[in-house]
Amino acid sequence: MTKSYRKRLWTAGVALVVLGAAAVTWWLLRDPTPYSLRRTPAVKVTVNAAKSQYPDAKQVANDVNLLVKVYVQRLQAGDATDLARIGAPWYTGRTQAAQKLIARYGAHADEPVEAIVQDPVVPYLAKVELRYNDGRRQTVDLSRDHDHVWWLQLGDGDPVAP
């Protein structure tokens, strides 16, 4: 083996190790959540856990914080297709259900909203009571998939099917 060949082989090996480390790092640090807040409209949502003797309520409140804020933002925006995208993928009729939610709660979503995450009964289901500024209340059901992504139970489907 020539010196030049060994040098190229060593360089290729180092490059493979670096690429492999980068791929592993990306895989471990990636965010599996397929939704995020948009710049507009701005939302004013406070997410808290219900008073509980169990630490699970606080953990679930932290876990669903983003989804609740995205939900209120999408309600406020009034786009049923966009709201339907945060509905659990295993549900059908998400767009029609989103239209009903927008008609009923969309006008109330531009004011401050308090969200109270109830004690979870099972680890992959959650109930959140939304308290709108005008006194209106809404309970939304959430479910978590096998990738630990929380979704809105929106439409027809089985929340324990995923």
Side-chain angles (χ1 to χ4, degrees), residues 103-160:
R104 188 163 183 186
Y105 300 104
H108 308 284
D110 62 343
E111 297 294 327
V113 177
E114 182 182 14
I116 307 297
V117 179
Q118 305 303 313
D119 264 337
V121 178
V122 293
Y124 48 85
L125 298 175
K127 285 193 179 296
V128 179
E129 181 184 43
L130 297 172
R131 299 174 181 172
Y132 295 96
N133 202 37
D134 65 354
R136 187 177 295 247
R137 293 180 183 220
Q138 174 193 13
T139 299
V140 293
D141 295 319
L142 309 176
S143 52
R144 190 179 70 196
D145 66 15
H146 298 296
D147 292 327
H148 302 286
V149 175
W150 285 94
W151 297 95
L152 185 65
Q153 290 183 17
L154 188 63
D156 299 315
D158 182 358
V160 295

Side-chain angles (χ1 to χ4, degrees), residues 87-100:
W90 51 90
Y91 280 80
T92 60
R94 291 187 306 266
T95 302
Q96 296 83 0
Q99 290 168 342
K100 290 177 185 176

Side-chain angles (χ1 to χ4, degrees), residues 3-131:
K3 204 175 206 184
S4 168
Y5 181 74
R6 278 185 286 192
K7 186 175 181 182
R8 279 187 265 166
L9 189 59
W10 184 83
T11 303
V14 168
L16 280 174
V17 169
V18 169
L19 285 173
V24 167
T25 301
W26 171 82
W27 180 258
L28 293 174
L29 297 178
R30 72 181 175 86
D31 182 6
T33 309
Y35 47 78
S36 61
L37 279 171
R38 299 215 167 98
R39 281 185 238 205
T40 60
V43 293
K44 300 165 234 142
V45 179
T46 305
V47 179
N48 294 308
K51 290 183 182 180
S52 172
Q53 62 181 355
Y54 303 106
D56 293 357
K58 285 184 182 178
Q59 181 60 46
V60 172
N62 288 336
D63 291 349
V64 303
N65 184 17
L66 175 62
L67 177 57
V68 171
K69 289 178 178 178
V70 169
Y71 171 67
V72 172
Q73 184 181 57
R74 302 309 195 264
L75 269 180
Q76 186 179 352
D79 184 347
T81 303
D82 209 25
L83 179 59
R85 286 188 187 113
I86 64 171
W90 51 90
Y91 280 80
T92 60
R94 291 187 306 266
T95 302
Q96 296 83 0
Q99 290 168 342
K100 290 177 185 176
L101 289 170
I102 290 169
R104 188 163 183 186
Y105 300 104
H108 308 284
D110 62 343
E111 297 294 327
V113 177
E114 182 182 14
I116 307 297
V117 179
Q118 305 303 313
D119 264 337
V121 178
V122 293
Y124 48 85
L125 298 175
K127 285 193 179 296
V128 179
E129 181 184 43
L130 297 172
R131 299 174 181 172

